[in-house]
Each structure stands twice: as structure tokens, then as C-alpha cells.
Amino acid sequence: MSRADQARGDRSLETRRLFRAWLIFATINLGLAAFFVIPAALGSALGVREVLESTIIVRFLISHIFFSMVAACSAFQAIFWMLAVLWVEASRFPVLPAWIGFGLAVAGSGLSAISTLSGWGDPVLAEFVPVVVEPAFLSGFGLFALGVAVTTGSFIYAITSVDIGRMPLIPFGMLCTALIMVAAGLSGVATMARLFGDWFAFQLAWRTPYILTQAIFWGPGHLITFSLVGTMVVSWILLMPVPGLQGLEEQMARIGFVVFVFFAAVVLVVLFAVDPLALPKMTGLNVAIRGSLTLPVLFLGSLVLRHVFSRDSRPRSPALLLSILLFTLGLLIALVGIGHNSLAWVPPHYEAMIPGAVLVAFMGVTAELILPWDRSLISEPLARIQAYLYGGGIFTVALGMFWAALLGGERRGYFITIPAKGPAVMLIVGGITAGLGILAFMANTFGAFAERPTFTPTSVRRVPQ
């Protein structure tokens, strides 16, 4: 064996280990997200009407958002990046920086968890990324973001060694999501530069953490959502029955991913030009940004559905259709809600989209296709049941929240007050069902690790393009 072949084998082995590490991390984050929502769930079940007025409960809900939307989704995205590296067998993957990025992400999430449990600082239930104004939580958030940035850079460095024209569709799609993450980072830099550039306005915003938090995260948050939804579309393609998209359909899918990146670049230019403090109030612009996110997804989703329903074979996992169903529900909620004066429709829209469509797809792919070792999950039937439990639970929660919005519930960031018993019952039933789905996913994932599979660099499992 040549030194080049030996180096390639060593890097493949380390990439697979890193893959496993991110998968464990993502699974733990899902468990923490479920744990942190329990106090609010208990309060609602006991009939406490002022649940969202409690500082303690709001603190836990903020951590629920952090560990579900930020930590878990980003960890699953890193898993897909590792898969793409294994797929093309990139020999120049920078293993050491990638492990450093993983370590920073773990340290950041640990600090945020400690801050939540310790009760330090003041919770700010902002409308885009809620935070706890306290050094440990904010430092943890920053470390996690830095870890994801290092991981993104490591992936781009490795994957660009492959000829883009010959790159398989899945690595190509993940490269596009990584480029959108780069745009999100640049947007963050632009936001901070604009805020510090107007020192007087920054001092005024500093006195109101709610306004400052929204200004910092509003622009980058939109682009990060672009990237996560793009990864969800990659998940849909992976969940398709063999052989997946080919020929003209594959070329059209590549165009769809390029359009994703193009729209992200346009949004980045707009964000450079707009005052960050004014951006949250610019309703028309925000609708346009979200619309530009939706169009490529509708196009790519139509390719997937057309292919699935035009073939005799069906996907083994129900996660594909459940994810598409939840995404459709989120769109319908938005279309109905935009016609109302209240923004109370936003929490159920978010619930259907991110904890719903995105995470259902991510967990479905993890369970069905992308475990790069020679042993499967301990129970494939449980994996299918898990998709129904979690997807059905989130569907019920989103409908319950939308019902509450129609009944006059008030928005509190990503949450909503519950004015009647009917929506409260739906939230309780849906929350319990989704929680059981998370427990099933954790049991299957950790059960697979308990089998102690042996790594062999030449036995990377391939999945359809």
C-alpha cells in the first residue's frame, strides 16, 4: 500500500469516527431539547394559565429552542457533511481541525446547559433566536457557533478537491448548504459591523436586550434556516427508493440547489444594505426572503414526489412523506396566517417546519441509510414506529398551536399562550407522542453503538444518489 492510500484510509477511519461522534452529540441534544420542554408541558397540563410569564419556565424553553433548532439541527447537518466526505473519499479532509470544531461545539452546548440549570442571567424570548443574557450561556452559544464554523470550513476544504462536474448529487447538495452557512457567517459579520458603526444606536439597543438580540440574529438566522432546509431536501433525496434521482431529474435537482445558493447570495447582499435594527420591522422584505427560501424547496420537492409516485417501489421509511406533509402544513399555516393582523401563526409555522419537517427527515435518514458501519439499528420496526410517533406528535402540536392562534392566543417568541382547553389537550397529547418518538430514536441509536462495530475503511456503506 502506498503512502497516499494509507493516508486516505486513515482519514476515512477518522472521518467515520467523527461521524459517530456527531451522531451521538445530535442524539444527546434531542434528548436535552425534550427534557427542557417538560416544565412548560407540566404547567400546561396542570392548568397554569401564566406558563409563559414564569422566568424559570421561559429559561427552559429558550434552552429547548437552542438544543432543538440550533444544536441538534446543526449536529445532524455536520453528520451529512461527514457522509459527503466519505462518499467522495476525499483524501485531504483536515481531521484535526474537524475534531477541534466538534470539541468546541460540545463545550459550547455544555456551557449553555450548565447556565440553564444554574438559573443564571435573564431570559430574552426574542422572536428569532432567544437567548439567556448571561456570560456562560452566551459564551456557550459563541463556542458552538465557532465549532460549526470550523466544521463547515473543514468540509468545504475537503469536498472542493473533487471535480464539481463529476460530484455525486448528495455531496453537491451538501456543498451548497455549506456555502449558505458561509453566507450566514458573513451576514453575522455585516450585522455586527453595522451595529458598532452606529455607536449611538448600539448604545440604545444595548439597554434593550430583546431589540439587540433580534438585530444580531435576524439576518444570519434567515440564512442558517436556508442551509437547514437545504439539508432537509438532501434528506428527502436520500430517503427516496433506489435508484433515486437520475438523468434529467438529477440535473434539474442540481439547478435547484444552485438556485438555493443564488437566493442566499441575494439575501446576503440585501442584509449588507439594511439597518439590522430596522430589519425585524420590515414585513415585506422578510416575506420576500422567506418566499425565496420556499421556491427552490417546492421545485426540489416536486421532483422527489414525482419520482416516488411514478415508480412501483416506495420508500421504506415513512419519514420522507411525513417530512413533506409537515412542510406542507407549515406552508398552509403561513398562507392562512398572513391574512390575519396577528403574528400568532408564526409559532405553529415554526413547529411544523423545523422541529417537524427538518428533524423528521434528519432522524429518518439516520435510521435508514447513513450509518457507516456494518451493523444496523437494533430494531428497524421501531425506527418506523419512531417516525410515526415523532412526526405525528409534532403534527398534532402544530395544529394545536394554530388552533390557539385562531382563538386569540398571543405570540411569545416561538411559543403561544393557550386560551382554551382544546388546544391545550392537543399540545399535551402531541408533546407526549413526540417525546416517545425521541426516546425510540435514542434507544435505537445508542443500541447500535452498544454493538461495538469494527471499523474498516474500505467498507463505507453507499447510499443512492
Side-chain angles (χ1 to χ4, degrees):
M1 180 183 292
S2 68
R3 290 185 178 181
D5 291 337
Q6 180 66 46
R8 186 177 297 109
D10 291 343
R11 291 177 188 274
S12 176
L13 176 62
E14 286 300 317
T15 304
R16 295 175 70 184
R17 287 174 175 162
L18 191 58
F19 180 104
R20 286 165 57 93
W22 275 107
L23 179 53
I24 293 172
F25 183 53
T27 305
I28 292 173
N29 282 323
L30 280 177
L32 286 172
F35 169 76
F36 284 129
V37 83
I38 289 176
L42 288 176
S44 297
L46 295 174
V48 179
R49 299 191 61 85
E50 303 299 330
V51 170
L52 295 180
E53 302 299 328
S54 168
T55 301
I56 296 176
I57 290 180
V58 168
R59 177 190 307 280
F60 277 88
L61 288 176
I62 288 173
S63 289
H64 165 71
I65 295 295
F66 174 81
F67 284 99
S68 60
M69 181 181 73
V70 180
C73 286
S74 297
F76 276 111
Q77 190 170 39
I79 291 168
F80 283 81
W81 287 334
M82 297 303 105
L83 174 68
V85 170
L86 289 169
W87 201 319
V88 300
E89 296 180 351
S91 60
R92 66 172 190 172
F93 182 65
V95 173
L96 180 58
W99 275 111
I100 292 174
F102 174 74
L104 289 170
V106 172
S109 63
L111 271 177
S112 297
I114 291 172
S115 172
T116 300
L117 296 173
S118 299
W120 302 328
D122 298 320
V124 178
L125 202 57
E127 294 182 5
F128 211 99
V129 179
V131 296
V132 178
V133 181
E134 184 274 322
F137 188 93
L138 296 178
S139 298
F141 204 124
L143 283 175
F144 184 87
L146 180 60
V148 172
V150 172
T151 302
T152 305
S154 298
F155 166 71
I156 292 175
Y157 176 80
I159 206 71
T160 50
S161 65
V162 181
D163 182 3
I164 292 180
R166 297 181 179 181
M167 188 181 295
L169 178 59
I170 298 304
F172 180 82
M174 291 312 300
L175 174 60
C176 291
T177 67
L179 293 176
I180 296 172
M181 288 293 286
V182 172
L186 294 175
S187 172
V189 172
T191 297
M192 297 304 294
R194 290 291 300 272
L195 286 173
F196 282 105
D198 188 345
W199 185 247
F200 178 73
F202 177 78
Q203 286 182 310
L204 292 177
W206 181 262
R207 300 171 186 173
T208 311
Y210 177 86
I211 295 176
L212 182 61
T213 299
Q214 285 199 158
I216 291 174
F217 291 111
W218 197 273
H222 276 93
L223 289 170
I224 290 173
T225 304
F226 263 68
S227 183
L228 292 176
V229 173
T231 306
M232 177 191 70
V233 174
V234 173
S235 302
W236 291 352
I237 297 172
L238 284 168
L239 286 167
M240 294 173 63
V242 176
L245 297 178
Q246 291 186 328
L248 179 61
E249 290 178 330
E250 180 182 352
Q251 295 303 316
M252 297 296 288
R254 290 176 185 270
I255 293 173
F257 282 116
V258 171
V259 171
F260 244 124
V261 177
F262 172 76
F263 281 154
V266 172
V267 171
L268 176 61
V269 172
V270 171
L271 293 176
F272 264 95
V274 176
D275 180 5
L277 292 171
L279 182 60
K281 301 176 183 178
M282 303 174 71
T283 304
L285 177 61
N286 288 306
V287 170
I289 289 175
R290 289 163 186 153
S292 66
L293 163 67
T294 304
L295 290 176
V297 179
L298 292 176
F299 173 72
L300 291 163
S302 67
L303 290 177
V304 172
L305 285 175
R306 179 180 178 276
H307 185 92
V308 169
F309 287 108
S310 64
R311 302 292 189 274
D312 293 332
S313 60
R314 292 289 182 266
R316 287 195 313 159
S317 172
L320 173 59
L321 296 181
L322 284 170
S323 176
I324 293 175
L325 176 63
L326 284 162
F327 186 83
T328 304
L329 175 64
L331 286 181
L332 292 175
I333 289 173
L335 291 174
V336 175
I338 288 174
H340 292 72
N341 293 327
S342 171
L343 292 176
W345 59 270
V346 174
H349 165 76
Y350 158 79
E351 192 72 24
M353 287 290 189
I354 304 300
V358 170
L359 282 179
V360 164
F362 288 177
M363 286 189 281
V365 171
T366 301
E368 289 293 323
L369 297 172
I370 67 171
L371 295 174
W373 55 78
D374 295 332
R375 302 181 187 184
S376 63
L377 300 181
I378 57 175
S379 174
E380 291 190 7
L382 182 59
R384 290 191 289 273
I385 293 172
Q386 177 271 323
Y388 284 116
L389 285 172
Y390 184 78
I394 295 297
F395 189 89
T396 305
V397 168
L399 283 181
M401 294 176 75
F402 190 52
W403 186 7
L406 295 177
L407 292 177
E410 297 180 2
R411 181 185 178 188
R412 297 288 190 275
Y414 285 104
F415 307 97
I416 188 171
T417 59
I418 308 299
K421 290 185 178 180
V425 171
M426 291 187 69
L427 260 65
I428 293 169
V429 172
I432 292 173
T433 305
L436 291 174
I438 290 177
L439 289 177
F441 178 79
M442 295 177 69
N444 252 351
T445 303
F446 289 127
F449 289 128
E451 293 184 16
R452 299 181 182 278
T454 302
F455 282 109
T456 306
T458 59
S459 61
V460 176
R461 179 179 298 179
R462 296 291 179 177
V463 291
Q465 297 179 21

